[in-house]
Amino acid sequence: MREPFLKRGPFLKRRPFAILAAGAVSAAVFAASGLAIVAGQAEAQDVVVEPAGPWACEPPDFDAGPAPMLGPVELRLVAGMLLAAQETVLGIRPDQAEAWRDYAGALVAMVPSGDRVERWLAPEGRAKAEAFDLVQDVADAAIERADKAKRLKQSVDVLKATLTPEQMALVAKTQARLVERVARLIEWQRGESFGAPL
């Protein structure tokens, strides 16, 4: 009585390449059959079949409309939550709380309020605009941002003098991770290879 094919050890030992070749041929035939079916359906429906690109495994694009954007209030809330988490991780003590609050407030104030943009988004606001109002708004916004940046810089100087060396080291470590993620995001947007997912 002959042994089943899979139990024939000598065949498997002597012919691994034959098995691989048979698998490759089967895969090729299966792929060719699938392409033929797709091509036949496309021809019947007058659909142009385009070659698969590098992202062929991803689902096809679809128009889902614009993604929801965070407004100034939501952005400030997100910044506040992140700062609260960082305060907990750093272990801010009561004697450091005032310096931390000044820093956190100055940082959140850097988030654009959107007040100046709203004027130009509303039709009645645009109708009331006079000559050079847009340029003046841009200049005023830059001046206000510069003042807020100075306040932030001053609060950072005070905070650095308040934190312990261990807290400063933890801030530096967190900063390094943040910079790395931002750099990877920029490389991804430029189409460069960053070696690992975010």
Side-chain angles (χ1 to χ4, degrees):
M1 183 176 181
R2 299 182 63 183
E3 294 182 1
F5 177 78
L6 293 177
K7 290 187 178 180
R8 296 177 197 172
F11 178 83
L12 295 176
K13 290 180 181 178
R14 290 196 306 266
R15 301 185 181 166
F17 294 106
I19 296 172
L20 292 175
V25 170
S26 300
V29 171
F30 180 77
S33 301
L35 289 177
I37 293 172
V38 171
Q41 292 176 346
E43 187 175 349
Q45 299 176 6
D46 295 330
V47 177
V48 178
V49 178
E50 297 182 0
W55 309 108
C57 294
E58 294 187 357
D61 294 335
F62 63 96
D63 186 11
M69 294 184 62
L70 295 178
V73 176
E74 291 82 2
L75 287 175
R76 278 176 163 74
L77 288 173
V78 171
M81 287 188 295
L82 294 175
L83 286 166
Q86 188 178 17
E87 179 181 358
T88 303
V89 170
L90 291 177
I92 298 297
R93 303 189 309 253
D95 60 315
Q96 300 170 326
E98 183 178 354
W100 178 263
R101 280 196 299 268
D102 289 343
Y103 160 73
L107 187 58
V108 171
M110 289 292 294
V111 178
S113 65
D115 295 339
R116 296 185 182 277
V117 176
E118 290 300 326
R119 172 189 178 185
W120 297 98
L121 293 179
E124 57 273 12
R126 294 195 298 269
K128 295 178 181 178
E130 299 179 359
F132 295 105
D133 275 3
L134 178 60
V135 176
Q136 288 180 323
D137 271 4
V138 171
D140 290 340
I143 293 171
E144 290 174 4
R145 194 164 181 80
D147 292 337
K148 293 176 181 178
K150 288 179 182 177
R151 179 191 165 198
L152 176 59
K153 192 171 177 61
Q154 292 170 354
S155 67
V156 168
D157 291 338
V158 174
L159 183 62
K160 287 170 65 176
T162 306
L163 297 180
T164 64
E166 293 78 14
Q167 289 171 322
M168 290 290 291
L170 188 54
V171 171
K173 186 176 180 180
T174 305
Q175 175 182 273
R177 290 180 178 177
L178 175 62
V179 170
E180 183 178 355
R181 286 182 175 273
V182 171
R184 289 179 178 180
L185 178 61
I186 294 174
E187 290 173 354
W188 173 75
Q189 289 178 332
R190 292 177 176 175
E192 300 173 5
S193 174
F194 48 79
L198 292 175

